[in-house]
Each structure stands twice: as structure tokens, then as C-alpha cells.
Amino acid sequence: MIRGLRLNRRKPISDYHMHTPLCGHASGQPEEYANHALKIGLKEIGFSDHAPFVVKPLPGITMRMNELPLYHKMIEDVRTRFKGRLEIRTGIEADFIPGYEKQTKAILDAYPYDYVIGSVHFIKDWGFDNPEEREKWSEHDVNTVYRDYFELLRASARTDFFNIIAHPDLVKKFGHRPAQDITKDIEQTAKVFKETGVAIEINTSGRRKTVGEMYPVLKDLTIYCGAGVPLTFGSDAHKPEEVGCDFDKAVDLAKKAGYKEYVMFKERKIYRRVSL
Ligand code: ZN
Ligand code: FE
Ligand code: FE
Ligand code: ZN
């Protein structure tokens, strides 16, 4: 009984990464996500649906430009409905596409956000984590893909558009592992994250994918912790019952990596630090 209570208290109280049906591949209404969050004892959640893609519309993958007003209205509505019971933050998950900084900035400046999650899902025009483009891995050298991926992560942090860098080793999603040691790449990435002031997330959705483990792996997380990079937690829920998924395991991972606290955002700034 006592042990259960203690474990409960250690779980993060905030989940900052969840989607809405507007992206076209998530199910359930925001209200259902909020209800699930309440049910499992979270105090704060943030929606972070896929921002409109800057190169061309990607139906089924991201929201469209003309859906942004509805996105904000949906969040505003749940915020009102859950007032006093659950804090609801407005976030968004935006892709980093080099060469499209102006377009990305315009999208992110159009509405106020509590935080913006920056994601690398594309290397050049290859959606390396998209199940439909999975065969293209065979045309690529895994070491090079990893090197390119972490270079893009660093470049994304340097844009100053993002507060949180999403799933910071998403490149492992289908289980491809580099033959080369990438420690230096991670150390360099951690240095850039620290300098640019971005946080990272432990994203539990990797456990539900081929790779079967959270993003990022313990070794990387330990390096980010050592560099002083702030931490958030995200389930990357694409259905209501995934909210807060595996957060007990996520806390264990954070502590093993050396993290003593995680952070919460409001109006694009860290407003609260919570001990682990
Ligand atoms: Zn998604
Ligand atoms: Fe993502
Ligand atoms: Fe996501
Ligand atoms: Zn995501």
C-alpha cells in the first residue's frame, strides 16, 4: 500500500505530447484525452498535434493550414470544460525542414503557444519513420542516416523555434542500429541543446513501436542529463488511452540517467520544475 503510494507520487504529473484527430491518424476527441489524464492522476496535459507541413499539404500526417483555427478552438473548449480539474496547455509538434524556416516561423507565430515541440521526421524528403517509406532504409547506409539525423536535430535546436526536441532518437524506430559508435555525435548534440536552451522529452511511444524502447535510449539520456538539458515527459498519445502510457517506466529511466527534476512550460517558458 505504502509502496504503491510512493510509486504513484513519483510519476510525472504532466504529459506534453498528444495528438488530436485533425492530423488524420489519431483517434478520440481532446475531451477523451483529458478524461483519461484525470483518471490516471495527471495534473497537466498539453496537446501537440502535427503542425501543417511547410512543403506541401500532407493529409493523414499533419493538420492543414485551414484547420489551425479549429485546433485552437478545440483546445480552448477543453480548457474551459476542465478548468479547476486539469491544466491544459497549448502546444504543437512542428517538423524541422531546412530551407523552410520562414514558412515554419509564420505558422508558429500565427497563434500563441505554451511550448513548441520540434521534430525531425524527414531526412531530405525521406520520411524515415513513416511505415510506408520503411523499405527505403535498404537504400541507405545506417551510419550515414544516424549522422544526418543528429545533425538535423542540432540544426533544429539552433532555429530557436522550439522549446522541446521530440523523441530525440526516433531514427531507431524500426530497429536499425549504427555499427559505428555515435557517442561523440550525442555529446555534440547535448552541447548544442544546452547552448540553445531547448529541453528534450522522454517519449514513451517507442515502446509501442518495432524498436520496443522509449526515446531516447538510456545512454543518450545520461549524456543529456550530464550536459544540463531540461526534461519533459510525453506519451505521444494518438488515442485517449495512451495518455501517460508507461510513465512509471519513464521515471525509472530518467532517474537512472541522473535526472533529479523535470520541467513544465507556460507561454514558451519553463514555469515550474518538479522533483523526481
Ligand atoms: Zn502522429
Ligand atoms: Fe513525432
Ligand atoms: Fe507526436
Ligand atoms: Zn510525435
Side-chain angles (χ1 to χ4, degrees):
M1 187 64 174
I2 287 168
R3 213 174 79 202
L5 278 175
R6 203 177 293 150
L7 282 174
N8 254 338
R9 203 165 24 179
R10 277 176 38 206
K11 268 209 244 172
I13 57 171
S14 52
D15 184 344
Y16 272 4
H17 196 147
M18 62 193 69
H19 292 269
T20 81
L22 291 181
C23 65
H25 62 273
S27 59
Q29 292 307 311
E31 185 180 355
E32 299 173 82
Y33 287 68
N35 269 324
H36 190 79
L38 272 184
K39 194 172 126 193
I40 62 169
L42 297 184
K43 301 280 181 253
E44 180 165 321
I45 59 169
F47 289 95
S48 56
D49 209 2
H50 299 284
F53 196 59
V54 285
V55 183
K56 56 174 186 201
L58 282 185
I61 298 183
T62 76
M63 288 187 272
R64 288 166 180 277
M65 264 320 206
N66 61 12
E67 287 172 319
L68 272 179
L70 178 57
Y71 178 60
H72 286 270
K73 189 189 174 301
M74 282 163 63
I75 297 175
E76 209 47 65
D77 285 352
V78 267
R79 182 176 295 128
T80 309
R81 219 169 310 144
F82 285 79
K83 205 176 166 74
R85 294 186 291 155
L86 182 70
E87 283 294 330
I88 298 190
R89 299 275 170 244
T90 305
I92 196 159
E93 175 177 9
D95 278 288
F96 171 61
I97 307 291
Y100 288 81
E101 287 80 0
K102 239 179 92 177
Q103 293 88 330
T104 305
K105 189 175 178 341
I107 290 171
L108 299 177
D109 284 350
Y111 286 89
Y113 291 98
D114 289 308
Y115 58 85
V116 176
I117 302 184
S119 285
V120 172
H121 298 111
F122 295 90
I123 295 173
K124 299 215 175 77
D125 53 5
W126 176 36
F128 62 83
D129 81 315
N130 182 347
E132 281 168 28
E133 299 188 52
R134 187 174 170 169
E135 335 75 68
K136 290 197 192 149
W137 271 93
S138 63
E139 300 160 22
H140 289 84
D141 169 60
V142 175
N143 290 319
T144 311
V145 174
Y146 268 71
R147 208 176 313 125
D148 292 349
Y149 172 78
F150 284 103
E151 199 175 299
L152 284 166
L153 273 196
R154 293 190 289 274
S156 75
R158 289 192 185 105
T159 60
D160 220 21
F161 296 162
F162 309 121
N163 302 102
I164 303 165
I165 302 300
H167 36 60
D169 62 351
L170 178 67
V171 66
K172 73 183 176 190
K173 178 173 173 178
F174 297 125
H176 302 86
R177 304 284 186 176
Q180 284 167 6
D181 179 23
I182 58 162
T183 309
K184 285 259 157 8
D185 267 293
I186 308 300
E187 286 170 350
Q188 204 192 334
T189 306
K191 196 168 160 254
V192 172
F193 285 180
K194 176 63 183 173
E195 283 166 4
T196 52
V198 295
I200 54 158
E201 63 168 4
I202 291 182
N203 182 311
T204 62
S205 74
R207 279 182 57 87
R208 315 191 286 273
K209 301 291 165 19
T210 313
V211 68
E213 62 178 48
M214 300 185 205
Y215 312 109
V217 70
L218 175 62
K219 189 181 172 191
D220 296 6
L221 193 62
T222 307
I223 293 172
Y224 293 126
C225 179
V229 179
L231 179 70
T232 65
F233 291 91
S235 63
D236 214 340
H238 283 69
K239 40 182 132 141
E241 59 272 27
E242 288 174 348
V243 171
C245 185
D246 289 325
F247 269 22
D248 47 347
K249 295 180 185 74
V251 168
D252 290 344
L253 186 72
K255 289 183 143 188
K256 246 183 236 164
Y259 275 99
K260 303 271 187 281
E261 62 173 33
Y262 59 100
V263 298
M264 287 155 77
F265 282 89
K266 193 189 278 181
E267 295 171 1
R268 299 282 236 139
K269 285 193 178 67
I270 291 173
Y271 83 98
R272 187 172 170 193
R273 295 173 183 273
V274 186
S275 302
L276 283 169

